Amino acid sequence: MSVKIRERVYPENNTVTWQADIHVKLIDGRKIRERSRIPGATTRAAALKWAHERERWLILHGHEMGAKEPEAPKMPTLAEFCQRFIEEYAVANRLKPSTIENKRIIARKYLVPVLGARLLDKINEADVQRLKTAFADLAPASVNNVLTMLSTLLKTAIEWRVIASMPKIRKLKRQAQRFAYYDEECYERLVEAAASVDLRCLLVVLLGGDAGLRGGEIVALRMGHCDLRRGVLHVAENEWRGHVGTPKGNRSRQVVMTSRLREALRELAVQRKDAQARVIAREDGTPASKRVVDGWLVKAQRAADLPKKGPHVLRHTFCSRLAESGAAPKAIQELAGHVHSSTTDRYLHLMPNALKTAIGLIDKPRHGRVTGDHARPET
């Protein structure tokens, strides 16, 4: 009995596979030799482990006399595997409903139209480039989202032993993202206009611009999450199309209230005693949808004579105001609940005072002047 494995490299598509050569002699004297590709193995140790397990199986079961070798399972196309991936990976792993829906959209609008007919094991670097070319008019971040899903899908196919290897997927270089936000004058005008409409409009504006909550976090915020004694908001829930879950990145956070946000919430607390009641609700007390909340923001924007923008402009305004006021990047990241510091870095250009302070550390008055290679004191 013997087990040998070897590595095979295919330079034309830059893939690597492992193959096993197994010799087994059974008790009845029969000899079995089996050569097969090792599915899913990426290291020698993993390949050897699979080969020894296969050797034990052959010793126990052998090959049935006269029986045909079982047919290899049919290789699925990308379109076919997308369905399985969404159900058995995204849904089974209980990803957020918004994440599952986003994967369905990426599969339907981007992956399947371009590569849907390709067999999963035939997808190569040229196909990846074809995918980039097909959506050259999209922003690099959008294309990278498509490439990320393709990469995750193929890695999952390897784990499930559907394919043995996958092509290299190189993402596009991301450009600095531009974002809209209100400067201090426009924001104060918006706050004043919202207060003139009603308390709900004011709270929508302040929760976004003074506390940095995302749209779904504003919708999900409950009275019990507002600690008026300490002046702290507990941002622990997010709502998307009726599904309530944790905020983005599964991270809850605390945000200190500004004095005017605290005052507005105190006024609301007089009317709304139930800790489970939503802060932003309809007239009858039922929870408001994000679309309704967006409508209240539009009312405030019209009253302030400002163009219509979605609620995320308030979150950008919150982060921008912090940056312009000299807040440390780590503080901005924690208050805004950014999962990655690179998201916070988008606001660094709004920190001129911090940059001036940094230069000031080396821009000190000199008592002598430098000539040649050495400094000489003035006489």
Side-chain angles (χ1 to χ4, degrees):
M1 300 182 190
S2 67
V3 172
K4 295 180 181 179
I5 61 171
R6 65 169 179 160
E7 184 181 30
R8 293 200 62 183
V9 180
Y10 300 90
E12 62 272 11
N13 57 4
N14 199 27
T15 58
V16 177
T17 62
W18 291 87
Q19 291 184 334
D21 189 0
I22 304 172
H23 294 255
V24 173
K25 185 176 181 179
L26 304 181
I27 297 176
D28 60 7
R30 285 186 295 143
K31 293 181 180 179
I32 297 175
R33 182 182 184 184
E34 180 178 276
R35 286 181 179 174
S36 60
R37 187 172 66 176
I38 302 175
T42 56
T43 64
R44 176 175 289 275
L48 195 58
K49 180 180 178 182
W50 184 94
H52 281 302
E53 289 177 353
R54 180 61 180 168
E55 179 192 35
R56 284 193 291 271
W57 191 94
L58 289 173
I59 292 172
L60 291 172
H61 304 284
H63 284 299
E64 293 184 11
M65 297 299 293
K68 293 183 179 179
E69 289 290 326
E71 293 184 6
K74 179 185 175 184
M75 181 60 60
T77 63
L78 179 66
E80 292 168 342
F81 192 76
C82 275
Q83 296 294 325
R84 180 183 174 189
F85 172 76
I86 290 171
E87 295 302 323
E88 298 182 23
Y89 175 88
V91 175
N93 287 328
R94 302 183 185 182
L95 302 185
K96 290 180 177 292
S98 57
T99 303
I100 296 172
E101 181 61 20
N102 185 53
K103 291 187 183 300
R104 285 197 174 103
I105 292 171
I106 290 176
R108 184 177 68 250
K109 292 183 63 176
Y110 303 105
L111 289 178
V112 172
V114 180
L115 300 178
R118 291 285 284 171
L119 294 176
L120 213 58
D121 63 342
K122 300 300 182 184
I123 296 175
N124 53 34
E125 279 82 358
D127 293 316
V128 176
Q129 291 303 115
R130 188 152 60 92
L131 191 64
K132 294 178 183 178
T133 303
F135 303 108
D137 57 331
L138 295 181
S142 299
V143 176
N144 284 344
N145 287 338
V146 177
L147 296 175
T148 296
M149 177 165 164
L150 177 62
S151 177
T152 304
L153 183 148
L154 293 176
K155 287 177 182 176
T156 303
I158 290 176
E159 291 176 4
W160 293 350
R161 297 185 176 182
V162 177
I163 58 176
S165 60
M166 62 178 282
K168 287 185 178 180
I169 299 177
R170 297 178 177 86
K171 295 182 183 179
L172 300 176
K173 290 184 178 180
R174 297 186 64 174
Q175 301 171 343
Q177 290 182 317
R178 297 180 180 181
F179 54 87
Y181 69 97
Y182 293 124
D183 59 27
E184 195 67 24
E185 180 184 352
C186 286
Y187 179 65
E188 291 304 320
R189 197 164 89 227
L190 180 65
V191 172
E192 185 178 344
S196 70
V197 177
D198 60 27
L199 183 58
R200 288 178 305 187
C201 283
L202 177 62
L203 281 168
V204 167
V205 171
L206 293 180
L207 287 171
D210 273 25
L213 272 63
R214 300 177 178 91
E217 294 168 348
I218 293 175
V219 173
L221 188 68
R222 303 177 189 275
M223 295 301 300
H225 296 152
C226 307
D227 188 340
L228 296 173
R229 184 181 64 81
R230 295 173 55 224
V232 173
L233 287 178
H234 299 277
V235 186
E237 292 182 331
N238 182 79
E239 180 173 306
W240 180 82
R241 297 185 182 179
H243 299 277
V244 177
T246 55
K248 191 173 182 179
N250 294 318
R251 295 177 60 187
S252 59
R253 65 188 188 279
Q254 292 187 353
V255 181
V256 178
M257 302 177 194
T258 60
S259 57
R260 60 186 175 186
L261 174 57
R262 192 174 187 178
E263 188 60 34
L265 286 169
R266 275 202 181 112
E267 184 180 344
L268 182 68
V270 174
Q271 310 168 18
R272 210 161 291 166
K273 303 292 185 180
D274 184 5
Q276 293 302 311
R278 297 288 180 90
V279 171
I280 305 299
R282 294 183 173 92
E283 291 288 352
D284 59 2
T286 57
S289 66
K290 186 176 179 297
R291 184 175 181 179
V292 172
V293 171
D294 292 351
W296 286 328
L297 174 58
V298 170
K299 284 184 181 180
Q301 290 167 339
R302 285 174 180 166
D305 196 24
L306 292 171
K308 175 183 174 182
K309 293 184 183 296
H312 215 70
V313 69
L314 296 173
R315 182 169 163 82
H316 286 316
T317 299
F318 172 73
C319 296
S320 300
R321 293 173 66 213
L322 288 173
E324 290 174 337
S325 300
K330 184 63 176 176
I332 298 175
Q333 181 180 358
E334 291 300 320
L335 289 169
H338 291 152
V339 179
H340 304 291
S341 59
S342 57
T343 306
T344 310
D345 291 345
R346 294 183 295 171
Y347 304 96
L348 295 184
H349 70 284
L350 298 172
M351 300 181 178
N353 292 333
L355 299 178
K356 289 178 182 178
T357 301
I359 292 298
L361 296 174
I362 62 172
D363 189 19
K364 299 176 180 178
R366 299 288 187 269
H367 297 293
R369 65 172 178 266
V370 177
T371 59
D373 295 329
H374 303 282
R376 298 177 182 174
E378 293 182 348
T379 57

